[in-house]
Amino acid sequence: MPLERSSEDVDIIFTRLKGVKAFEKFHPNLLRQICLCGYYENLEKGITLFRQGDIGTNWYAVLAGSLDVKVSETSSHQDAVTICTLGIGTAFGESILDNTPRHATIVTRESSELLRIEQEDFKALWEKYRQYMAGLLAPPYGVMETGSNNDRIPDKENTPLIEPPVPLRPAHTITKVPSEKILRAGKILRIAILSRAPHMIRDRKYHLKTYRQCCVGTELVDWMVQQTSCVHSRTQAVGMWQVLLEDGVLNHVDQERHFQDKYLFYRFLDDEHEGAPLPTEEEKKECDEELQDTMLLLSQMGPDAHMRMILRKPPGQRTVDDLEIIYEELLHIKALSHLSTTLFNQGEEGTSWYIILKGSVNVVIYGKGVVCTLHEGDDFGKLALVNDAPRAASIVLREDNCHFLRVDKEDFNRILRDVEANTVRLKEHDQDVLVLEKVPAGNRASNQGNSQPQQKYTVMSGTPEKILEHFLETIRLEPSLNEATDSCTEQERMDYALNNKRRVIRLVLQWAAMYGDLLQEDDVAMAFLEEFYVSVSDDARMMAAFKEQLPELEKIVKQISEDTKAPQKKHKVLLQQFNTGDERAQKRQPIRGSDEVLFKVYCIDHTYTTIRVPVAASVKEVISAVADKLGSGEGLIIVKMNSGGEKVVLKPNDVSVFTTLTINGRLFACPREQFDSLQLPCRNKEGPTTGTVGTFELMSSKDLAYQMTTYDWELFNCVHELELIYHTFGRHNFKKTTANLDLFLRRFNEIQFWVVTEICLCSQLSKRVQLLKKFIKIAAHCKEYKNLNSFFAIVMGLSNVAVSRLALTWEKLPSKFKKFYAEFESLMDPSRNHRAYRLTAAKLEPPLIPFMPLLIKDMTFTHEGNKTFIDNLVNFEKMQFVQLARLPQDAFEMFICQGLPECMVLRMIANTARTVQYYRSQPFNPDAAQANKNHQDVRSYVRQLNVIDNQRTLSQMSHRLEPRRP
């Protein structure tokens, strides 16, 4: 009902009608009023609208089809002669302005679609917009376009943006007979459902009433989405079912005219009568052959059916999803830019690139006004094309006589390919503010059968404000709201602001999800989230659109707040390798910076004091804790020393110092002047003195590899992606711990030295050979379990000089095992940037435990080899927002890191973080069959490896086993 149409409904109809030829010269304000009072008519062939001599009651415009104009000189209908045919874009019926009789009879030549305006409404429009309609209607009601200046259409700036609506009355529509094509489509879908999901068509009971052979709307939509890749959303499926409902091939049990994705009952035309036959095998075979073509046909017709549905059903029943999704679809219709001072509006889809040949234009951004003026020779419009995003600004003509060279999107893309253009620049006030560069668009998701473009443009550099603005503008919302323009209504301005707020909420939700529990340790972040939640709650009381996002935000804030304000839990006490004996049998949990560590700090005389401080404690805090124990801390420094005696003085602002120690390393506190005399005791007892071969040989290689993988997965799963950032840029810059990453990296060294230690502690040659075979088998099983971290650690242990030099041992190794080991070594080849390993890892699907030292190396080289700023612009090739979730296959994503330039995050470094996330995108599911009788013994063994990490000691032991040959 037109009286019930909202401003959003009018926007949708307005966008659709702008592309209709009949209205190509109508001023936007006039066209908007037509949207308020127009009625949609769908007429079969041979329908007479009115006859010659009748007094007119309606004005018409032809949207589709054609009509014959017949005139009779005798006023007899039988003598009428067709004098012309009215096609798409024509209008007729102006005689209603003065109630003169119709001068001809109008009959539909074919099935036609019309826009109808009743006489009272049309007269009201004529009175209000007489000057606009001059030249648009035939004389005597209008004037020719060459008429006087008094009849010219005035500028938009001098006209009101919102006109009062014209009084309206209900419309009536005519249902057309379904076409053979649609009948066949309905039959194909019915047979497919009966063949593949027969339970969907059955008798249904509701409120004590039985509805025969019905389907449910939500089930039909579910089924449609599952059947074909050409259906991308539920709203698209709704449009496809609407095609069948509109033609009567599918019917609502209460004869509703619009299909809804709800628990409503629908019945196929063939099921209207009792005893409808089931499909034969031949019919099922034909259905299978035609189903995809049928889906494609309906997907092409669905958007138009959706538009007609909106115009037909009462506005009060129109959902926000209906209006917004159709609006997105209608953005593809070309705007009639020559009728307005605005060439295109901010938020519209980009369809063309422009070069100014004559004149000038203003670039207008909502909320900023005119950001710059472009003149002859300048170009604009390419940003939306290369980034496949809405227009970032409105383009407003500054002069009446502007000439442009316009290149459509397809041609523009071809030009880019032909000239191999790699860079697109956006300027404001003659300065670069955003630089995009072409990169391959391939991603891991595309390997799942989704067609992805081969190239895309990504941000390389820009001002922080423009990068953030660009990022927010390109966030896809489901559903999306109408964008505002420089010359928009107040409602449109509100919609635009609402849309931006929803994007910000989406950004904050992703940020909070990404940080998780880490936010509890950040007072600033907590204060921001609580304040943000209050603001969104206030807005949600006035704007319903926020209500769907509010519960998710409330859940996050409430959970974090409760955890923060809950009674303080008992801290973990973490010894040396951050394990206590009791914890070794438990599943590994992430370590937080606020967890406490109980640790020995040695003095120069090798006595020690035990301190208890947070894991993330700085060196200053460690010195303070030591001073409390020793009674004085004046002049103290903290030194870490490995088992080889190498010393490093830690800086006062270094944090999380305990986690960075080597396996058998020690922490010393001493006066600075005594640093040179600091040394390990003469007899360093760190590490085992006997091997575990007696225990080790009783365990199967597969069991050992399995339990190692289970433990490594727990450690790997505890590493937060942000720890990669902290590690690369320096923990002290963030005052954050990387304890979980440190433990995982230490595990690599632990396994490597475990291999060397066990072999060097084995005095019998035959047992050493058996150990070599055992380790090669374990490595093979680790590779089978996709535990590349332990696989490479074992192989590197076997490659250690203390092992590789044992010629007698290797000589007795069977050739089969030598071949396996040679293959393993080839994967470690560092040439061409570890190409062999990278190719192997690229072929593996998650879950996967990566070779972490190489990932760390990649991130470090990226950081040190790239500047953060280029020409005063943030280097976004290095620092970029990265999305980490949805965008159903695409869905990358976002990483916001505190401490870097505000709201900036690494792109190249984030590629590594994204890789880590991909490796963990599937859970590692332990195989219950591996839990044999000595399951707990093997589990305990691999979690408490005791090793020698002093390379000099290991080499000496190796030489004692097999002295150097003369």
Side-chain angles (χ1 to χ4, degrees):
M1 295 286 292
L3 274 173
E4 299 173 346
R5 288 179 190 162
S6 67
S7 61
E8 290 87 351
D9 300 337
V10 173
D11 288 340
I12 293 170
I13 302 169
F14 174 79
T15 307
R16 176 68 177 87
L17 294 184
K18 283 200 302 182
V20 176
K21 184 178 179 182
F23 306 113
E24 64 181 0
K25 295 185 178 180
F26 279 43
H27 190 274
N29 287 346
L30 170 58
L31 188 54
R32 188 172 291 277
Q33 289 302 306
I34 289 176
C35 295
L36 280 168
C37 61
Y39 299 84
Y40 172 83
E41 294 287 356
N42 193 336
L43 306 180
E44 301 176 28
K45 176 181 178 180
I47 298 296
T48 300
L49 266 73
F50 52 77
R51 298 184 182 276
Q52 183 177 345
D54 290 349
I55 300 299
T57 58
N58 294 283
W59 177 84
Y60 300 88
V62 184
L63 305 179
S66 59
L67 303 94
D68 287 334
V69 179
K70 299 184 177 184
V71 176
S72 171
E73 295 183 0
T74 64
S75 297
S76 172
H77 304 312
Q78 290 78 12
D79 298 334
V81 176
T82 300
I83 60 172
C84 67
T85 298
L86 303 175
I88 297 174
T90 56
F92 56 93
E94 296 89 345
S95 63
I96 59 174
L97 289 175
D98 54 11
N99 291 322
T100 56
R102 299 292 195 188
H103 68 276
T105 298
I106 305 294
V107 182
T108 55
R109 186 184 184 88
E110 57 185 312
S111 178
S112 302
E113 298 176 23
L114 307 176
L115 179 80
R116 175 173 60 85
I117 299 179
E118 296 185 349
Q119 182 179 34
E120 182 179 339
D121 301 330
F122 192 75
K123 283 185 174 181
L125 290 176
W126 175 256
E127 291 302 321
K128 288 179 176 293
Y129 302 103
R130 184 187 298 266
Q131 73 255 32
Y132 291 173
M133 301 174 75
L136 302 179
L137 304 182
Y141 310 105
V143 297
M144 302 302 292
E145 290 184 86
T146 55
S148 67
N149 292 335
N150 293 332
D151 295 320
R152 292 182 61 189
I153 298 176
D155 293 335
K156 287 172 66 176
E157 288 86 346
N158 299 325
T159 61
L161 294 176
I162 304 178
E163 295 290 346
V166 181
L168 309 170
R169 294 184 299 283
H172 303 283
T173 57
I174 300 174
T175 304
K176 65 179 183 179
V177 177
S179 67
E180 289 296 326
K181 196 160 48 175
I182 303 304
L183 279 172
R184 181 61 181 169
K187 188 176 184 68
I188 293 296
L189 294 184
R190 177 178 176 271
I191 292 174
I193 290 175
L194 288 173
S195 301
R196 304 180 182 192
H199 64 280
M200 289 175 56
I201 303 178
R202 66 179 189 272
D203 293 349
R204 312 271 182 169
K205 287 187 177 181
Y206 187 72
H207 285 187
L208 303 180
K209 183 177 179 180
T210 300
Y211 296 86
R212 293 187 56 263
Q213 295 299 96
C214 293
C215 305
V216 173
T218 52
E219 293 179 1
L220 288 174
V221 172
D222 289 338
W223 183 84
M224 182 76 81
V225 171
Q226 295 167 2
Q227 298 307 306
T228 175
S229 60
C230 72
V231 179
H232 306 293
S233 66
R234 301 185 68 84
T235 51
Q236 185 184 2
V238 167
M240 295 165 69
W241 287 116
Q242 178 63 30
V243 174
L244 302 183
L245 186 72
E246 191 175 65
D247 276 33
V249 177
L250 182 76
N251 294 297
H252 186 273
V253 294
D254 288 335
Q255 303 306 310
E256 293 289 339
R257 297 183 61 86
H258 55 281
F259 185 90
Q260 297 186 67
D261 185 8
K262 294 182 179 180
Y263 191 80
L264 300 176
F265 297 156
Y266 297 91
R267 185 184 294 120
F268 282 98
L269 183 62
D270 288 348
D271 291 319
E272 293 285 349
H273 308 288
E274 292 189 18
L278 294 175
T280 64
E281 291 302 318
E282 183 65 26
E283 286 177 324
K284 290 181 180 179
K285 183 178 179 181
E286 291 177 0
C287 165
D288 288 339
E289 294 174 353
E290 297 182 40
L291 182 60
Q292 292 306 315
D293 289 340
T294 299
M295 293 288 193
L296 182 59
L297 169 68
L298 294 177
S299 69
Q300 293 169 345
M301 302 177 70
D304 288 340
H306 217 155
M307 166 59 71
R308 292 190 291 269
M309 176 184 74
I310 287 179
L311 292 171
R312 284 191 178 119
K313 71 179 181 180
Q317 296 180 12
R318 297 171 188 167
T319 67
V320 173
D321 286 345
D322 288 340
L323 302 180
E324 293 175 350
I325 295 299
I326 293 177
Y327 174 75
E328 287 293 327
E329 180 68 25
L330 295 177
L331 285 177
H332 293 280
I333 299 174
K334 290 184 179 179
L336 303 176
S337 59
H338 64 280
L339 293 180
S340 169
T341 58
T342 302
L343 194 64
F344 56 71
N345 291 316
Q346 185 173 351
E348 293 180 351
E349 183 190 25
T351 58
S352 299
W353 170 50
Y354 297 84
I355 299 174
I356 304 174
L357 303 179
K358 182 181 179 182
S360 59
V361 299
N362 284 334
V363 180
V364 180
I365 295 178
Y366 179 67
K368 290 186 176 181
V370 178
V371 297
C372 64
T373 299
L374 303 177
H375 304 276
E376 294 178 14
D378 289 334
D379 69 294
F380 57 89
K382 57 181 176 286
L383 185 63
L385 301 187
V386 300
N387 206 49
D388 192 25
R391 296 292 193 188
S394 298
I395 299 295
V396 181
L397 307 187
R398 298 180 72 240
E399 308 169 38
D400 290 335
N401 190 20
C402 291
H403 294 179
F404 304 97
L405 173 65
R406 181 173 60 85
V407 180
D408 289 337
K409 186 174 184 177
E410 182 178 345
D411 296 326
F412 175 76
N413 290 334
R414 186 165 57 250
I415 290 171
L416 288 181
R417 289 194 300 270
D418 292 343
V419 302
E420 297 183 350
N422 289 319
T423 305
V424 174
R425 296 177 179 272
L426 180 66
K427 294 178 179 290
E428 287 185 4
H429 302 297
D430 297 323
Q431 297 292 324
D432 285 343
V433 292
L434 193 65
V435 180
L436 305 179
E437 186 166 310
K438 183 162 61 177
V439 297
N443 54 50
R444 296 182 185 274
S446 64
N447 295 330
Q448 309 303 318
N450 301 302
S451 113
Q452 299 284 341
Q454 294 182 350
Q455 300 288 334
K456 67 177 182 179
Y457 279 79
T458 187
V459 177
M460 303 305 293
S461 61
T463 62
E465 296 81 3
K466 182 54 65 174
I467 291 172
L468 178 59
E469 179 184 303
H470 171 80
F471 178 67
L472 288 171
E473 285 176 350
T474 53
I475 287 181
R476 304 290 183 182
L477 293 175
E478 283 276 347
S480 59
L481 291 174
N482 190 15
E483 302 281 359
T485 70
D486 185 56
S487 57
C488 60
T489 65
E490 191 61 33
Q491 180 61 45
E492 287 171 331
R493 290 180 184 273
M494 291 176 61
D495 288 346
Y496 181 81
L498 176 61
N499 210 19
N500 281 343
K501 286 186 177 183
R502 293 178 69 214
R503 287 190 175 103
V504 172
I505 295 173
R506 163 71 71 82
L507 184 65
V508 172
L509 287 173
Q510 289 181 322
W511 171 69
M514 184 64 205
Y515 263 88
D517 294 341
L518 297 181
L519 290 175
Q520 298 174 18
E521 303 177 30
D522 194 316
D523 294 338
V524 175
M526 283 300 304
F528 164 74
L529 269 179
E530 291 173 356
E531 182 180 352
F532 186 76
Y533 171 68
V534 171
S535 298
V536 176
S537 300
D538 291 342
D539 282 348
R541 283 193 284 271
M542 297 180 289
M543 288 175 269
F546 290 149
K547 290 182 179 178
E548 79 177 72
Q549 293 173 300
L550 189 60
E552 186 178 357
L553 180 62
E554 181 180 18
K555 180 180 178 182
I556 289 175
V557 174
K558 184 177 180 182
Q559 181 63 47
I560 295 175
S561 180
E562 287 178 354
D563 290 347
T564 304
K565 296 175 182 178
Q568 187 67 27
K569 297 178 181 178
K570 183 180 179 181
H571 284 298
K572 298 176 185 175
V573 179
L574 310 168
L575 297 174
Q576 290 188 348
Q577 298 174 20
F578 305 92
N579 278 297
T580 63
D582 294 337
E583 288 180 335
R584 286 179 181 136
Q586 299 175 0
K587 186 176 181 180
R588 189 37 98 173
Q589 297 296 322
I591 298 173
R592 298 182 182 178
S594 58
D595 290 335
E596 291 184 345
V597 55
L598 189 64
F599 209 86
K600 296 177 181 178
V601 179
Y602 291 83
C603 298
I604 195 167
D605 59 357
H606 301 291
T607 60
Y608 64 84
T609 180
T610 303
I611 64 171
R612 182 170 184 154
V613 292
V615 171
S618 67
V619 168
K620 282 183 180 179
E621 293 171 309
V622 172
I623 291 175
S624 176
V626 170
D628 288 343
K629 292 277 188 174
L630 299 180
S632 173
E634 186 176 353
L636 283 182
I637 59 173
I638 300 296
V639 181
K640 66 178 179 180
M641 183 184 301
N642 65 20
S643 59
E646 296 175 355
K647 299 176 290 188
V648 176
V649 179
L650 300 178
K651 299 176 182 178
N653 63 342
D654 285 342
V655 296
S656 194
V657 294
F658 308 105
T659 67
T660 61
L661 291 176
T662 55
I663 297 171
N664 296 317
R666 287 184 175 184
L667 207 63
F668 287 84
C670 69
R672 184 174 295 277
E673 60 272 13
Q674 296 181 6
F675 172 76
D676 291 335
S677 58
L678 182 65
Q679 58 184 357
L680 289 172
C682 297
R683 189 173 178 83
N684 183 11
K685 298 181 180 181
E686 299 291 349
T689 56
T690 58
T692 60
V693 64
T695 304
F696 183 37
E697 63 183 356
L698 298 177
M699 302 175 182
S700 80
S701 302
K702 192 166 187 176
D703 288 347
L704 284 162
Y706 177 80
Q707 293 299 335
M708 289 170 65
T709 301
T710 300
Y711 186 48
D712 287 0
W713 179 259
E714 291 177 14
L715 292 172
F716 180 46
N717 226 22
C718 289
V719 179
H720 198 285
E721 288 92 341
L722 288 176
E723 292 188 61
L724 301 171
I725 305 297
Y726 302 153
H727 183 279
T728 303
F729 281 83
R731 288 176 288 269
H732 60 280
N733 290 321
F734 303 89
K735 297 181 180 178
K736 300 286 186 179
T737 182
T738 59
N740 301 291
L741 177 60
D742 294 337
L743 284 181
F744 188 50
L745 291 172
R746 180 183 294 182
R747 177 65 174 176
F748 181 89
N749 293 329
E750 189 177 58
I751 293 174
Q752 180 184 176
F753 283 115
W754 167 59
V755 172
V756 184
T757 300
E758 290 296 336
I759 292 176
C760 289
L761 286 174
C762 184
S763 59
Q764 297 181 35
L765 177 60
S766 60
K767 286 192 175 292
R768 284 202 305 276
V769 174
Q770 292 302 314
L771 273 176
L772 282 182
K773 291 170 60 177
K774 188 94 168 180
F775 283 123
I776 291 172
K777 286 181 182 179
I778 295 172
H781 288 305
C782 284
K783 186 171 180 286
E784 177 187 344
Y785 288 129
K786 294 184 284 190
N787 181 359
L788 300 184
N789 201 60
S790 287
F791 167 77
F792 276 100
I794 293 171
V795 175
M796 289 185 71
L798 294 173
S799 302
N800 187 286
V801 65
V803 176
S804 63
R805 64 167 300 278
L806 298 174
L808 293 177
T809 308
W810 285 97
E811 284 174 4
K812 294 187 176 296
L813 184 71
S815 58
K816 180 177 71 172
F817 286 90
K818 289 180 180 178
K819 182 180 178 181
F820 285 151
Y821 177 67
E823 292 175 357
F824 295 164
E825 271 198 316
S826 67
L827 289 178
M828 293 182 56
D829 182 5
S831 64
R832 300 177 68 182
N833 195 18
H834 294 272
R835 183 172 184 271
Y837 164 75
R838 296 183 194 278
L839 289 177
T840 299
K843 295 175 184 177
L844 299 178
E845 297 292 329
L848 182 152
I849 304 175
F851 179 26
M852 185 58 80
L854 182 58
L855 293 179
I856 294 296
K857 172 189 169 185
D858 288 345
M859 296 180 72
T860 303
F861 275 40
T862 298
H863 169 49
E864 294 178 351
N866 293 274
K867 296 180 179 179
T868 301
F869 291 90
I870 299 176
D871 297 332
N872 295 322
L873 298 179
V874 176
N875 180 6
F876 219 61
E877 169 62 13
K878 176 182 175 183
M879 321 263 306
Q880 180 185 9
F881 288 112
V882 184
Q883 275 189 105
L884 287 171
R886 162 161 179 315
L887 293 203
Q889 290 96 342
D890 182 1
F892 197 97
E893 293 92 303
M894 179 187 66
F895 216 167
I896 295 186
C897 187
Q898 297 171 343
L900 298 175
E902 199 168 330
C903 291
M904 293 293 103
V905 181
L906 319 177
R907 174 167 167 270
M908 289 197 286
I909 288 179
N911 285 337
T912 304
R914 180 169 40 183
T915 299
V916 169
Q917 190 191 38
Y918 170 72
Y919 290 156
R920 297 191 298 210
S921 61
Q922 297 296 325
F924 175 73
N925 297 315
D927 185 355
Q930 294 292 331
N932 53 30
K933 60 182 180 181
N934 64 341
H935 164 75
Q936 289 299 332
D937 292 339
V938 179
R939 175 186 172 90
S940 178
Y941 177 81
V942 301
R943 290 172 182 246
Q944 48 185 322
L945 300 176
N946 197 10
V947 305
I948 299 171
D949 67 339
N950 187 332
Q951 185 63 48
R952 181 181 302 173
T953 301
L954 291 169
S955 295
Q956 291 171 351
M957 294 167 62
S958 174
H959 278 82
R960 284 196 294 268
L961 292 174
E962 294 186 22
R964 183 180 292 122
R965 295 178 182 178

